[in-house]
Amino acid sequence: GAAPGAGWAELGRALAPRQQLTTMCHAAVGRIEAGRGGVGEFEMQLVGRVAAVSHRHAHAAKLRAIYRTLKVMNTVRLTQPTLPKLLGQNDFGGALDLVHSTQRVLSEELSGVVAFKLLSGQLHETQSAVGRALLAAWLPVCLAQQPAPTASAPDAAAVDQSSQEHDALVGVLVGLMRLGKVQAAVQLYRQAMISAVDDAVRSRLERSVAQPDDQPAAATSTSIGSNGTGGAALSARLLLPLAVAPAADFVNHVLTPVFAEVERLLGNAIAVHRLVADTLHARSLAGQGAAAESATKAEQQVGDHDASSSSTAGISSISSRAARHHHAAGQQQQQRQAAGEQQAEADSWAIVSAVCEAGHVHVVQLLQARSELHVRLRASEFASVFSAVHMFIVRTEQQARYRSYALRPALLQQARCHPSIHPSIRPRMQA
């Protein structure tokens, strides 16, 4: 038989490769573990470096934002001394532009800056002061307006003065539009024009009465006519002398000057209306262009937000809704402003009709004061009164595009009451 140790030796030789394989496996596993540790360490270093780079970028962005905010703050600080200079030069449009732009910067870019907390209130007070100054300057520049010259070769000095008055009114009107005070200004002008017609007629009658300078004028009634459009009732002291005045004196010294004053004021009202209408139309066209540009920008912003990555989908959705909301709010504000401007334009034309009606009401009072005398006048004398009043009616109705429901019936009634109608006025009674 075989030696006893030979079996074990054979078994050892058979198991040797397995042991080597096990050793090799353990060595491979060790190398793998070491490799995993190196990868993990590399990942840690990579994440740390990425975080450091991101932190540096965020810090740089904050520094840029701070620098931009400081520049805006410095710009606001440097532009504020300009505001008193603009107000001192009566450049209300420039002052309002500066106030509005500063308010926008304060609300959008400097809302959290404590140093400018009081500036917003100061700007609001300045805007209110500018509004009061514009309303104070509104009436003088309106009353200074003259109708467009009809001569073929108008005086150069008159044209230059008219151009300056036109520019002054446009500047004031633009400022009132920015403050939303056009309707209030138009109503103020309406009251002033009705008072101007009353004062012009009363002043003409005062001169016709020829009252001594040292004798105080009697109190006059200020009741408004039944039509509610103006035309304060004239006192008996002013009307009684007309009841005995000759027809020629009544036409030449009372009616003709009164007609001239009423037509002058009517021309002023028409000139102001045209200027208001032209300015409002120009502003409307500019507003439509700005609205179209704003809508395009809003659509671009919405498209940019919609095209953003899914990681920023929440922020993009919020920004998109904010852009839509801002655009809708702007449209509503523009619609309200457009409605107010349309109403202001209609009110400015209503002033023309009110001035025409106020003048007609005063002429009715003059005719009524002479109703008994007109019946006793000769046909030719009454025809001169009728012709003067009828031509005044025709001229004012054509200028104001307004049908007289007070003066025309009163004139026709006196013509029908006259015992003998002059042939020259009979065709006009049928018109």
Side-chain angles (χ1 to χ4, degrees):
W8 293 103
E10 186 68 24
L11 179 63
R13 286 193 296 272
L15 293 178
R18 184 180 181 128
Q19 292 176 352
Q20 293 176 356
L21 180 61
T22 302
T23 302
M24 293 173 61
C25 287
H26 284 296
V29 170
R31 289 193 295 271
I32 291 174
E33 292 293 337
R36 286 181 177 178
V39 171
E41 183 179 358
F42 175 75
E43 289 179 350
M44 293 294 294
Q45 293 179 357
L46 181 61
V47 170
R49 292 177 180 177
V50 170
V53 171
S54 177
H55 177 71
R56 290 192 183 96
H57 280 290
H59 184 65
K62 290 180 180 178
L63 290 178
R64 287 193 297 269
I66 293 174
Y67 176 69
R68 184 171 59 252
T69 301
L70 291 175
K71 286 183 63 177
V72 173
M73 292 172 61
N74 186 54
T75 303
V76 172
R77 182 184 65 84
L78 294 177
T79 55
Q80 291 314 299
T82 310
L83 189 56
K85 296 179 182 179
L86 295 174
L87 294 176
Q89 298 171 357
N90 291 333
D91 187 2
F92 300 115
L96 287 176
D97 286 339
L98 181 57
V99 168
H100 290 169
S101 61
T102 305
Q103 288 177 335
R104 180 183 59 80
V105 170
L106 291 179
S107 62
E108 295 180 0
E109 301 185 33
L110 302 178
S111 59
V113 180
V114 181
F116 292 100
K117 185 177 181 180
L118 298 178
L119 182 58
S120 179
Q122 295 174 357
L123 291 174
H124 182 72
E125 294 178 359
T126 302
Q127 182 172 316
S128 300
V130 171
R132 292 191 295 269
L134 287 172
L135 287 177
W138 166 251
L139 283 181
V141 296
C142 281
L143 297 177
Q145 297 300 308
Q146 299 295 332
T150 56
S152 58
D155 184 24
V159 172
D160 183 63
Q161 181 179 1
S162 177
S163 177
Q164 293 178 357
E165 295 170 351
H166 176 278
D167 295 340
L169 181 55
V170 169
V172 174
L173 181 59
V174 170
L176 291 171
M177 286 191 297
R178 291 175 181 173
L179 295 177
K181 295 181 178 293
V182 179
Q183 287 184 275
V186 169
Q187 293 302 321
L188 187 65
Y189 175 61
R190 176 192 180 97
Q191 297 172 4
M193 289 299 292
I194 297 301
S195 299
V197 173
D198 297 341
D199 295 341
V201 175
R202 188 173 288 108
S203 175
R204 181 63 251 175
L205 293 181
E206 290 279 2
R207 289 194 294 270
S208 68
V209 171
Q211 193 173 18
D213 295 338
D214 56 347
Q215 182 178 353
T220 58
S221 172
T222 56
S223 59
I224 303 301
S226 59
N227 55 9
T229 59
L234 301 173
S235 65
R237 180 184 62 84
L238 299 176
L239 294 177
L240 285 178
L242 302 179
V244 295
D249 293 343
F250 177 64
V251 172
N252 296 328
H253 301 300
V254 178
L255 288 183
T256 301
V258 167
F259 294 165
E261 286 296 319
V262 172
E263 292 182 47
R264 180 185 65 82
L265 293 173
L266 183 60
N268 176 271
I270 294 174
V272 171
H273 164 73
R274 289 175 178 171
L275 189 57
V276 169
D278 293 342
T279 306
L280 291 178
H281 289 167
R283 180 179 174 86
S284 176
L285 294 176
Q288 291 176 2
E293 183 178 357
S294 176
T296 303
K297 289 183 178 180
E299 292 177 358
Q300 290 177 353
Q301 291 177 357
V302 172
D304 294 340
H305 292 316
D306 293 340
S308 60
S309 61
S310 60
S311 60
T312 59
I315 299 177
S316 299
S317 178
I318 295 174
S319 301
S320 177
R321 289 196 300 270
R324 292 191 181 96
H325 176 73
H326 179 73
H327 177 62
Q331 282 185 331
Q332 292 177 357
Q333 182 179 0
Q334 290 176 357
Q335 290 174 358
R336 290 193 298 268
Q337 185 175 4
E341 292 175 354
Q342 290 177 358
Q343 184 61 42
E345 182 179 352
D347 292 342
S348 68
W349 180 251
I351 295 175
V352 177
S353 302
V355 170
C356 182
E357 183 66 15
H360 286 189
V361 168
H362 281 306
V363 178
V364 168
Q365 296 176 18
L366 301 180
L367 292 179
Q368 290 175 348
R370 293 174 55 87
S371 59
E372 296 181 1
L373 178 61
H374 283 172
V375 177
R376 299 193 301 270
L377 290 177
R378 294 194 299 268
S380 59
E381 293 177 333
F382 180 75
S384 64
V385 176
F386 183 95
S387 299
V389 177
H390 186 268
M391 292 178 63
F392 169 71
I393 294 174
V394 172
R395 290 195 304 269
T396 53
E397 285 183 343
Q398 290 178 349
Q399 292 178 5
R401 298 199 296 271
Y402 174 79
R403 180 71 176 179
S404 174
Y405 293 99
L407 180 55
R408 186 182 291 271
L411 180 63
L412 294 178
Q413 179 64 28
Q414 289 197 3
R416 294 188 184 100
C417 293
H418 200 274
S420 59
I421 299 176
H422 197 272
S424 63
I425 68 174
R426 191 178 300 276
R428 283 175 283 185
M429 292 180 59
Q430 305 297 329

